[in-house]
Amino acid sequence: MKTIEAVVVAAALWVAAASAEELTAARSQAVVERQFEAFERDDAEAAYALAAPAIKEIFADADHFLAMVRDRYPPVYRHRSVEFGAFQESGDKASLQATLVDNDNVVWTALYSLSREQNGDWLISACVLVKSEASAI
């Protein structure tokens, strides 16, 4: 009987851990989606608000941040479609992969790094953008 109880407890803990990671993945994806929406509206303040403090140290204000994204990350700034992929979490750090299709049907992979702040919010701490050999039809 104790073996069954131990198995039930272990299964419950495993489900709770999986559910917590799924919740973190959903929250992280929502942060990236909100930033995409802010870029679409050219809402520099809203996009900048989702950047981690380390990013804000580099770009002192929202307008400079938006200009950098527009110039260096055009597929992030404007894209035709997005599909989210792999997610990994390790403590207060997480990564989320997104596949973007730009307006010229070029496929890009964006690897987002996120950090959990003391208040529990997830913010974007980096984005690495890589052009794919594939193209969208």
Side-chain angles (χ1 to χ4, degrees), residues 82-133:
V82 61
E83 183 176 316
F84 290 97
F87 173 81
Q88 291 184 335
E89 178 183 3
S90 179
D92 289 337
K93 304 290 182 197
S95 64
L96 176 64
Q97 184 176 331
T99 301
L100 306 170
V101 177
D102 70 16
N103 292 326
D104 295 323
N105 290 325
V106 177
V107 179
W108 299 81
T109 299
L111 182 60
Y112 283 88
S113 297
L114 297 102
S115 59
R116 184 177 14 227
E117 301 304 302
Q118 288 183 352
N119 65 3
D121 289 347
W122 286 93
L123 297 176
I124 299 167
S125 54
C127 177
V128 175
L129 189 62
V130 178
K131 186 176 181 180
S132 172
E133 296 297 319

Side-chain angles (χ1 to χ4, degrees), residues 9-130:
V9 169
L13 291 173
W14 180 78
V15 168
S19 296
E21 185 171 323
E22 288 172 9
L23 181 59
T24 300
R27 286 181 179 166
S28 298
Q29 182 175 325
V31 168
V32 174
E33 287 175 330
R34 285 197 322 265
Q35 194 173 63
F36 286 159
E37 291 165 2
F39 291 146
E40 190 173 313
R41 297 186 313 269
D42 284 319
D43 186 342
E45 292 296 330
Y48 189 68
L50 299 168
I55 301 296
K56 291 178 180 176
E57 288 178 16
I58 298 168
F59 303 97
D61 62 58
D63 291 331
H64 285 96
F65 173 72
L66 184 63
M68 178 277 301
V69 173
R70 194 173 35 239
D71 293 344
R72 297 186 192 164
Y73 295 84
V76 170
Y77 177 65
R78 293 283 193 271
H79 52 270
R80 193 168 56 82
S81 67
V82 61
E83 183 176 316
F84 290 97
F87 173 81
Q88 291 184 335
E89 178 183 3
S90 179
D92 289 337
K93 304 290 182 197
S95 64
L96 176 64
Q97 184 176 331
T99 301
L100 306 170
V101 177
D102 70 16
N103 292 326
D104 295 323
N105 290 325
V106 177
V107 179
W108 299 81
T109 299
L111 182 60
Y112 283 88
S113 297
L114 297 102
S115 59
R116 184 177 14 227
E117 301 304 302
Q118 288 183 352
N119 65 3
D121 289 347
W122 286 93
L123 297 176
I124 299 167
S125 54
C127 177
V128 175
L129 189 62
V130 178

Side-chain angles (χ1 to χ4, degrees), residues 1-10:
M1 189 63 146
K2 288 187 181 205
T3 304
I4 294 172
E5 289 174 0
V7 169
V8 169
V9 169

